[in-house]
Amino acid sequence: MSQINIQTLLGMKQDGEKIAMLTCYDAGFTPLLEQAGVDVLLVGDSLGMVIQGHGTTLPVTVEQIVYHCACVSRARQRSFVIADLPFLSYYDEASALRSAAQLMQQGGAQMVKLEGGEGQLARVANLAAHGVPVCGHLGLQPQLVHQLGGYRTQGKDVDSAERMQREARLLESAGAQMLVLECVPAALAARISQALSIPVIGIGAGPDCDGQVLVLYDVLGITSAPPPFAKDFMQATGTIPAALKAYVKAVRQGQFPATAKART
Ligand code: KIV
């Protein structure tokens, strides 16, 4: 069984093969996701909402991500594991490096994800220089929910779209090896995906990214108020393995998302 690594994902982008990514938080789901063909498991800070019952991702700590990431890593056989750096765990270069070290050394993460653009470039460069693979996250940044005043689509006007394109290029130049775009107009996400050499994974960002990610519990229809762009794959399939396989198939074939059902 061949292991998926960053080179595999880069090759998939170059070959036009869509990358299927899902959040995953424990050892029970990990083999189910792998058997369905999910390439990348994200131990996202969304666990604060779907597992812990908080209203935002802000209360999640590094120790909690480490705990869940270690659960996933113990069960992982072939997929690539990314862990989120939680809110305020990367407020300067030293804290970013310290938190990333915990996620990789104790949690077994193979890459860390952080939210933000221009303000994060020095941290991204410093992490990369220390051998930490980094995934950026632009568009809607849930850790900024209180600054933004809600969960809204980003990059809708010309200025913010241009800024996001510039920040995406800067993140890549600083050493980011992957990028997540959340709640971004489909045309803008398509332009950014084309402009970058690194894989760009969309969530609520239209069909033309290099891959898609969703929160596992939304895919399984467990979440009480899922975002408008999510899809419950359980409804049409009835079992967890079938729902996960349907998600992977829909992503690979470019059938999900069909059209961008964006936030306002
Ligand atoms: O925490 C998370 O699950 C995420 C995804 C929504 C991309 O960051």
Side-chain angles (χ1 to χ4, degrees):
M1 189 189 305
S2 62
Q3 301 270 325
I4 294 173
N5 57 39
I6 188 62
Q7 293 305 328
T8 321
L9 300 171
L10 200 55
M12 288 174 79
K13 173 173 177 125
Q14 286 160 359
D15 295 345
E17 192 183 346
K18 299 275 187 188
I19 297 165
M21 171 161 153
L22 274 180
T23 65
C24 186
Y25 316 106
D26 65 42
F29 272 112
T30 298
L32 297 180
L33 269 62
E34 290 198 338
Q35 281 153 25
V38 176
D39 306 298
V40 183
L41 309 183
L42 171 64
V43 185
D45 58 2
S46 52
L47 68 85
M49 300 172 80
V50 298
I51 289 185
Q52 299 174 338
H54 295 295
T56 72
T57 59
L58 273 55
V60 176
T61 63
V62 172
E63 288 69 25
Q64 290 165 351
I65 296 279
V66 164
Y67 172 84
H68 286 280
C69 195
C71 295
V72 169
S73 297
R74 275 193 288 273
R76 180 199 85 88
Q77 295 206 345
R78 62 173 284 279
S79 49
F80 188 67
V81 177
I82 304 180
D84 265 346
L85 283 166
F87 182 57
L88 290 184
S89 71
Y90 51 103
Y91 57 83
D92 61 12
E93 287 176 33
S95 60
L97 204 53
R98 203 167 41 242
S99 304
Q102 282 179 267
L103 299 188
M104 292 186 76
Q105 294 182 310
Q106 297 166 33
Q110 293 162 301
M111 177 177 265
V112 302
K113 177 164 81 60
L114 54 77
E115 296 180 8
E118 244 162 328
Q120 301 297 357
L121 296 177
R123 274 153 251 184
V124 170
N126 190 50
L127 287 167
H130 284 86
V132 177
V134 181
C135 177
H137 184 146
L138 292 175
L140 173 60
Q141 296 164 40
Q143 291 175 8
L144 298 186
V145 60
H146 296 312
Q147 270 189 346
L148 297 170
Y151 297 106
R152 297 206 176 82
T153 298
Q154 304 293 309
K156 289 204 287 192
D157 59 77
V158 176
D159 284 354
S160 61
E162 280 176 1
R163 187 169 62 244
M164 201 185 301
Q165 267 183 283
R166 191 179 64 247
E167 289 188 316
R169 277 196 298 267
L170 289 170
L171 282 169
E172 180 175 31
S173 304
Q177 291 179 285
M178 250 175 109
L179 178 66
V180 165
L181 290 180
E182 179 165 355
C183 294
V184 171
L188 173 59
R191 281 202 300 279
I192 293 176
S193 304
Q194 270 194 347
L196 300 195
S197 308
I198 58 175
V200 176
I201 311 296
I203 172 164
D208 296 321
C209 298
D210 303 310
Q212 299 291 328
V213 58
L214 281 179
V215 169
L216 173 63
Y217 286 24
D218 292 340
V219 167
L220 299 181
I222 295 171
T223 328
S224 55
F229 54 77
K231 180 167 172 185
D232 172 359
F233 283 83
M234 268 298 254
Q235 249 174 17
T237 55
T239 69
I240 292 174
L244 296 173
K245 279 196 185 113
Y247 167 72
V248 173
K249 187 173 172 202
V251 171
R252 291 261 197 268
Q253 297 184 344
Q255 289 164 349
F256 176 79
T259 49
K261 277 199 209 158
R263 289 188 188 270
T264 50

